[in-house]
Amino acid sequence: MYTLSMNIKLETDYVTRINFTPVAPEDATISIFDHGFLFGDSIYEVVRTVNGVPFAWPEHLRRMRNSAVRLAMELPWSDEQLTGEIEAAIESGTWDGETYVRLVITRGVGRIDLMPRTCDDPALIVIAKKLPELRAHLHEVGLTLCVTDIRRNSRDAMDPGIKSGNYLNNVMALIEAREKGTDDALMLNEKDHLTECTTSNFFIVKDGVIKTPSLESGLLAGITRGMLRDIAVDRGMPFEETEITTTDLESADEVFISGTIKGVVPVIKVIGQVNWEGDPGPVTAKIRDEYYTFAGLQ
Ligand SMILES: Cc1ncc(COP(=O)(O)O)c(C=O)c1O
């Protein structure tokens, strides 16, 4: 247990590294002049291990490099260096079981000026901790969503396909969802098409077909989402990336969400502009089991 300088207790053991150097969690700080802090000018990835090995790391690395390109952020590190950082953090963990790793890259220290040209090198931050136990009951019981009034950022504004540190859109949606008594928010785009939840992708099942909003709707191309699509296609399970409206949702047979840390979790209720209720269903269970087997999680 660590005490941060601002007197917040960290109830978890953390491994923290900044710019290739291990730093004690309580000393792991970055400059207030870093544009990551000033403007949310940063990118990140969250990876989990399976049997101690970072799962789908090449996919995460590719997405991170793509996020950097989209933000015109030049990364001075090789893939080997970035991989080495992740591995070093995992190896330093003293906990039993699997590891959660968050890799953050900030624009770096510069003048208080939006343009990044005055910034030094980007900073590379790795935070690792024991992978939280998945709340088992979620798989049995499912979770609840609220279609929020807060909409997902437009692709033409802050494209949700870029995994940046600017998550205020999602933070505000989550606050609204929690105020309305649900677990997570489900966000519409400006055309009234459903997009995704605050840290997960969204799926409905209708007449045996798994449907998820297409990337054109404005959402993060989740690594888990991509794997579910590939697994479904491989196993002959009908799968569509398409526009999904609240009307489609109202007539859905099953609803579920996906993400690196939570895996595949059924949804039992959606409120806010819709009123949908259902049980965790057989198609959700099948794609979840196929994914867990593929990922080596079972
Ligand atoms: C906005 C958003 N959508 C979807 C996801 C799921 O993506 P992945 O499967 O790569 O974890 C995340 C994960 O952090 C996210 O932040």
Side-chain angles (χ1 to χ4, degrees):
M1 168 110 66
Y2 306 102
T3 305
L4 290 179
S5 50
M6 56 284 245
N7 228 10
I8 291 176
K9 292 210 183 327
L10 300 179
E11 288 169 2
T12 309
D13 276 337
Y14 284 91
V15 167
T16 42
R17 299 175 62 88
I18 300 182
N19 292 332
F20 298 88
T21 309
V23 187
E26 57 271 36
D27 299 327
T29 53
I30 62 159
S31 166
I32 59 167
F33 296 104
D34 191 306
H35 282 203
F37 169 71
L38 286 172
F39 308 123
D41 193 349
S42 65
I43 56 177
Y44 84 101
E45 285 292 324
V46 171
V47 185
R48 62 156 297 163
T49 62
V50 176
N51 299 323
V53 178
F55 177 65
W57 171 237
E59 287 82 356
H60 284 279
L61 187 54
R62 200 175 312 128
R63 184 169 70 185
M64 180 160 234
R65 287 210 180 272
N66 184 50
S67 296
V69 168
R70 298 285 309 280
L71 296 181
M73 195 185 273
E74 280 179 29
L75 306 185
W77 310 292
S78 66
D79 286 357
E80 290 69 31
Q81 283 175 299
L82 293 170
T83 306
E85 268 306 275
I86 295 273
E87 289 172 350
I90 294 166
E91 279 161 23
S92 305
T94 53
W95 45 81
D96 293 332
E98 303 293 351
T99 300
Y100 164 114
V101 190
R102 176 174 285 250
L103 183 66
V104 183
I105 298 176
T106 69
R107 182 76 70 172
V109 171
R111 286 200 210 130
I112 302 181
D113 170 353
L114 286 179
M115 273 306 283
R117 81 198 132 89
T118 64
C119 291
D120 293 344
D121 297 332
L124 177 69
I125 297 152
V126 184
I127 306 170
K129 62 176 182 171
K130 180 177 166 58
L131 185 79
E133 294 292 326
L134 204 71
R135 288 177 291 158
H137 75 276
L138 274 189
H139 281 284
E140 310 303 324
V141 176
L143 47 72
T144 58
L145 303 179
C146 173
V147 178
T148 51
D149 296 335
I150 299 281
R151 284 170 194 257
R152 195 73 179 104
N153 288 329
S154 157
R155 287 185 100 194
D156 301 329
M158 180 61 236
D159 186 349
I162 303 170
K163 199 162 170 63
S164 82
N166 190 324
Y167 257 50
L168 272 181
N169 178 213
N170 313 42
V171 170
M172 290 166 68
L174 187 59
I175 289 171
E176 185 186 331
R178 292 286 166 83
E179 276 172 1
K180 291 178 174 159
T182 51
D183 294 307
D184 201 357
L186 174 57
M187 291 172 278
L188 291 160
N189 67 15
E190 67 279 15
K191 291 182 188 149
D192 284 338
H193 299 147
L194 291 162
T195 61
E196 61 180 340
C197 298
T198 59
T199 54
S200 40
N201 290 113
F202 164 78
F203 304 78
I204 62 171
V205 180
K206 179 67 183 168
D207 297 331
V209 183
I210 302 172
K211 301 183 184 196
T212 195
S214 55
L215 298 183
E216 287 70 36
S217 297
L219 49 102
L220 183 72
I223 307 296
T224 321
R225 173 186 179 278
M227 289 184 169
L228 294 180
R229 180 196 53 219
D230 294 349
I231 290 168
V233 169
D234 186 63
R235 310 291 192 272
M237 300 171 75
F239 190 102
E240 277 179 20
E241 295 177 75
T242 182
E243 287 167 359
I244 301 180
T245 62
T246 49
T247 312
D248 298 322
L249 168 56
E250 293 233 280
S251 69
D253 302 322
E254 301 174 34
V255 177
F256 66 92
I257 63 171
S258 78
T260 296
I261 301 304
K262 37 179 98 66
V264 175
V265 182
V267 172
I268 50 161
K269 188 174 181 178
V270 190
I271 61 163
Q273 311 185 32
V274 288
N275 195 2
W276 180 88
E277 280 191 51
D279 294 321
V283 178
T284 304
K286 173 147 173 60
I287 192 76
R288 182 194 62 201
D289 289 350
E290 293 282 358
Y291 169 68
Y292 285 7
T293 304
F294 168 81
L297 294 167
Q298 271 175 355

